[in-house]
Amino acid sequence: MELGMDQARDRGRVVVQIDVDGRPIAMEQLRDEGFLSEGAELVEVTSLTEREMLLAALELGRNAIEVSQVHFTRSAELIQAGDRPAALAELGTGIELWRTVEGTVFRDAVPKVPLASLEARLETHLAELRTALETMSTAVGTGDLVALSDALMYEFPRTSATWTEFLGECMRSVEEQGTRTGTEEEQP
């Protein structure tokens, strides 16, 4: 395992998974002396370049936004059906997905993308997202479920589509040019 991890690091790659005899291992197992002392027939180390990791993060972000929109649409439908508790649960799930995307993709991945006027466009999109989320928050706070349903069903899909398109553009830029940190990494 150490040899594989060292080789990946020497090649500028990041280890993302280690399989022992066909089973992925958890990080805590790497600290367990008993586990480490056991023999193994096959150890596989999966690693990615910085570029591959960036592309994966952007793709995960796009997928999370799409899933979030499904939850928002379902929330709107449940509001219209009069099922407030289920609607709010769906809303919460959708918002949690957006928080995850914001915390990982928008803050960590997008700034590494080599895209002209990236910072300005990112700030514009973030401002639009904040406005859309504030509209939903205000509707929830005032108990205006009609306004919330309308925002979820008719307004927020535009926000989701804008972000999905933007992340797709980021992915195309990374595929064409590499990353902002400089050189194109060695491919597997």
Side-chain angles (χ1 to χ4, degrees):
M1 284 188 286
E2 286 181 27
L3 178 62
M5 291 169 56
D6 289 344
Q7 286 178 348
R9 186 176 37 256
D10 291 347
R11 292 177 62 202
R13 299 174 69 86
V14 177
V15 174
V16 294
Q17 183 172 322
I18 299 174
D19 293 327
V20 175
D21 293 331
R23 292 184 317 269
I25 63 168
M27 286 300 293
E28 54 271 0
Q29 289 175 297
L30 291 175
R31 294 182 209 105
D32 179 359
E33 291 293 326
F35 175 79
L36 293 175
S37 66
E38 295 177 13
E41 301 242 348
L42 178 65
V43 175
E44 297 173 287
V45 177
T46 303
S47 65
L48 298 174
T49 64
E50 181 179 340
R51 178 175 182 254
E52 291 166 333
M53 287 185 60
L54 181 55
L55 286 169
L58 294 168
E59 181 64 25
L60 286 171
R62 286 180 63 183
N63 292 340
I65 289 169
E66 291 172 3
V67 170
S68 176
Q69 188 55 52
V70 169
H71 286 286
F72 287 162
T73 300
R74 181 72 181 132
S75 179
E77 292 167 349
L78 289 165
I79 289 170
Q80 293 169 358
D83 190 349
R84 180 184 172 126
L88 293 179
E90 289 286 340
L91 176 64
T93 300
I95 289 172
E96 193 57 40
L97 282 167
W98 271 98
R99 284 185 182 142
T100 300
V101 171
E102 191 271 333
T104 57
V105 178
F106 300 164
R107 289 182 194 224
D108 295 337
V110 171
K112 295 177 183 174
V113 173
L115 189 60
S117 70
L118 176 76
E119 289 84 7
R121 293 173 64 204
L122 180 59
E123 284 305 313
T124 299
H125 292 321
L126 285 171
E128 291 170 0
L129 175 60
R130 281 186 214 104
T131 299
L133 291 173
E134 286 173 16
T135 298
M136 291 189 319
S137 178
T138 300
V140 169
T142 60
D144 188 350
L145 295 182
V146 172
L148 177 60
S149 177
D150 287 348
L152 293 171
M153 186 73 78
Y154 304 112
E155 296 169 27
F156 209 84
R158 284 191 303 265
T159 302
S160 294
T162 296
W163 276 103
T164 300
E165 290 168 15
F166 178 68
L167 292 179
E169 186 177 348
C170 288
M171 290 174 69
R172 285 187 296 281
S173 178
V174 169
E175 289 167 344
E176 292 168 2
Q177 301 175 20
T179 64
R180 284 184 177 223
T181 57
T183 63
E184 184 70 23
E185 292 91 353
E186 179 181 338
Q187 293 297 311

